[in-house]
Amino acid sequence: CFPEILRQIPNPVSILFYQGNINCLQNRMLSMVGSRSASYAGLKAASKIAEDLSRSSVTIVSGFAYGIDTASHVGCIKGGSPTIAVMGCGLDQNYPADNALLRKKVIENGGLILSEYSPGEKPLAAHFPYRNRIISALGEALILMEAKIRSGSMTSVSHALEQGKEVFVYPGDPS
């Protein structure tokens, strides 16, 4: 059940730890990333887009961070499809702490929590750029919501382009 795509990317993944429904990896998936400090409009748009995609049986893959990631996971759950959260730490780490209830909802909704980091691994800053290559690899394409030019979200975009994925960019609030 190990996703073959993760063996084919630059810096391939050799092991995955998981909680939840591993069969989610067989679903149609899109990756969604963006700022941890997103605007209200960006958060609302991310949740709505994820919900609409979820209603069309698309599983959203994101990084479980605050901001756009959280909004994407919440929207996907609201739409009824499972969501996949890729962590930058061991699965035994309660990170981010405020997402403990969301983590429970991801699992209850038939979703999946993934990490290449062993239990006990702390959420170190250096882990997140590597985590981002998994997020981008799992989706058929990547959706970028809001991001600064120098950010982890743009690292995800770079990974997606290197992996030959299409990247869609939400233009922001038109008002």
Side-chain angles (χ1 to χ4, degrees), residues 3-132:
E4 189 57 35
I5 189 71
L6 296 181
R7 296 183 205 278
Q8 300 169 2
I9 60 174
N11 195 7
V13 178
S14 57
I15 189 167
L16 281 176
F17 298 89
Y18 74 95
Q19 291 177 322
N21 181 7
I22 194 74
N23 294 321
C24 289
L25 293 170
Q26 306 306 314
N27 296 354
R28 184 165 186 216
M29 297 178 278
L30 288 174
S31 304
M32 199 170 207
V33 299
S35 177
R36 291 176 190 212
S37 57
S39 68
Y40 173 77
L43 294 172
K44 189 173 171 184
S47 184
K48 177 72 170 122
I49 290 168
E51 181 179 351
D52 290 347
L53 288 166
S54 176
R55 290 188 193 284
S56 297
S57 300
V58 173
T59 292
I60 298 298
V61 180
S62 198
F64 208 64
Y66 294 126
I68 295 297
D69 290 4
T70 294
S72 300
H73 293 302
V74 168
C76 189
I77 290 168
K78 195 183 286 187
S81 288
T83 187
I84 299 174
V86 184
M87 308 292 285
C89 57
L91 294 180
D92 61 334
Q93 303 297 303
N94 185 25
Y95 183 81
D98 290 346
N99 276 357
L101 181 58
L102 176 59
R103 185 180 185 137
K104 183 178 176 192
K105 287 181 180 180
V106 167
I107 301 298
E108 287 173 352
N109 192 60
L112 182 64
I113 312 284
L114 286 177
S115 179
E116 68 180 317
Y117 297 103
S118 302
E121 286 284 331
K122 303 288 185 207
L124 303 176
H127 291 177
F128 294 96
Y130 290 104
R131 174 211 57 181
N132 294 349

